[in-house]
Amino acid sequence: AQTVTQSQPEMSVQEAETVTLSCTYDTSESDYYLFWYKQPPSRQMILVIRQEAYKQQNATENRFSVNFQKAAKSFSLKISDSQLGDAAMYFCAYRPKGAQKLVFGQGTRLTINP
Amino acid sequence: SAVISQKPSRDICQRGTSLTIQCQVDSQVTMMFWYRQQPGQSLTLIATANQGSEATYESGFVIDKFPISRPNLTFSTLTVSNMSPEDSSIYLCSVAFAFSYNEQFFGPGTRLTVL
C-alpha cells in the first residue's frame, strides 16, 4: 500500500527566513503525482505546489519550491522568505496516475515567528 | 479552479442522531470526494461520490454509516448516521475536473462534534 510520511510534526521559522518541510513516500508505481497542501486555521485546504513524477525538473511556485528525489522517494517543500501568512498545517499527498485517491501524510504544523 | 461551499460549517449533535452535510460546487465537476479529518490527524478518504450511481467506499467505511448522494454534477451530500463521539471530525468535500484530474479542490469543511 502507498504511504506518505512527514517526520516533522512541528516546525518553526523566523519571518523572512527559509524553511524546508520533509516528506517521504512509498510506492511501487512509476508514474504518479505529488502535492503539498496548506491548511490554515480556517480549515480551507489550498494547493501549494504539484509535481509530476515523470518530470525531473523540480516544481516552483513563487516562494515555494520542491526538491523531488524520485529514487529516494523524497519530496520536500522549501518556503523562502517566510511570511506570517505561511503559518498553517502543511500536508504532503500522493496520487498514482490513473487513480483519484489522494494519500496524505500526517502533516507538519509550521509556525512563523515575527 | 472551483468555488466549493459546505453546509453546515459546524454542528454539535447528540449521539445516536444523524447529520447530513451538503457540498455545492459552482461548476460541473467530474469527480466528487468526501474526506474525514479526525482531531489533529490527517485526511482520510471516505468515498468517491458517483453521479447517478452508488458511491465507492474506501476500506473501513460503509454505506450504512456514511450514505452519500450525488444527484447531479454540482451537488453531493454525506450523511453521518447513528453518530457516536468517535465521529467527531472535520468532513471535507473535494472535487476534480475531467480536464485537470491531477488536482483536487477542497471545500471549507464541516466541523462535527458529537456529544
Side-chain angles (χ1 to χ4, degrees):
Chain A
Q2 296 113 355
T3 59
V4 178
T5 302
Q6 294 178 247
S7 59
Q8 306 154 316
E10 297 183 354
M11 291 282 285
S12 64
V13 64
Q14 290 297 124
E15 192 176 4
E17 294 189 349
T18 296
V19 62
T20 298
L21 308 184
S22 301
C23 173
T24 58
Y25 57 95
D26 186 27
T27 182
S28 58
E29 303 284 338
S30 60
D31 203 2
Y32 47 86
Y33 301 98
L34 295 164
F35 307 86
W36 278 98
Y37 278 90
K38 169 185 177 181
Q39 187 181 40
S42 66
R43 306 196 305 261
Q44 182 78 53
M45 292 283 285
I46 303 165
L47 179 66
V48 175
I49 199 164
R50 170 181 62 235
Q51 175 78 42
E52 298 173 67
Y54 68 87
K55 291 185 177 179
Q56 293 187 347
Q57 186 174 5
N58 289 323
T60 299
E61 290 285 343
N62 300 313
R63 297 183 295 107
F64 299 87
S65 62
V66 299
N67 183 4
F68 174 48
Q69 301 289 328
K70 191 173 184 179
K73 296 180 182 176
S74 170
F75 182 60
S76 61
L77 174 69
K78 186 172 82 171
I79 306 174
S80 303
D81 185 26
S82 299
Q83 300 176 1
L84 295 177
D86 295 332
M89 281 290 288
Y90 285 82
F91 291 97
C92 178
Y94 161 94
R95 183 174 77 76
K97 190 173 183 179
Q100 286 305 309
K101 178 179 179 179
L102 280 171
V103 179
F104 285 88
Q106 304 93 320
T108 297
R109 182 175 301 282
L110 177 64
T111 301
I112 310 296
N113 301 312
Chain B
S1 64
V3 176
I4 306 167
S5 61
Q6 285 185 232
K7 289 181 181 180
S9 60
R10 60 176 61 221
D11 208 342
I12 300 173
C13 301
Q14 298 296 319
R15 69 171 66 209
T17 62
S18 298
L19 177 72
T20 296
I21 302 167
Q22 298 179 0
C23 177
Q24 178 74 56
V25 193
D26 68 339
S27 54
Q28 293 186 346
V29 294
T30 307
M31 311 287 287
M32 295 183 78
F33 309 90
W34 287 98
Y35 288 83
R36 181 175 74 181
Q37 186 177 20
Q38 293 178 301
Q41 303 294 315
S42 186
L43 284 77
T44 302
L45 181 64
I46 297 172
T48 301
N50 302 309
Q51 194 262 332
S53 64
E54 202 168 276
T56 304
Y57 289 83
E58 296 297 310
S59 175
F61 298 97
V62 295
I63 187 171
D64 289 347
K65 177 66 176 178
F66 298 101
I68 288 171
S69 78
R70 189 179 173 190
N72 55 52
L73 293 176
T74 63
F75 185 78
S76 177
T77 66
L78 167 74
T79 299
V80 186
S81 304
N82 188 24
M83 288 183 285
S84 67
E86 293 70 36
D87 294 319
S88 297
S89 295
I90 297 171
Y91 293 86
L92 297 108
C93 168
S94 77
V95 304
F97 294 92
F99 58 82
S100 182
Y101 268 29
N102 57 349
E103 182 170 347
Q104 288 186 22
F105 301 92
F106 284 82
T110 295
R111 183 183 294 275
L112 171 62
T113 301
V114 184
L115 303 177

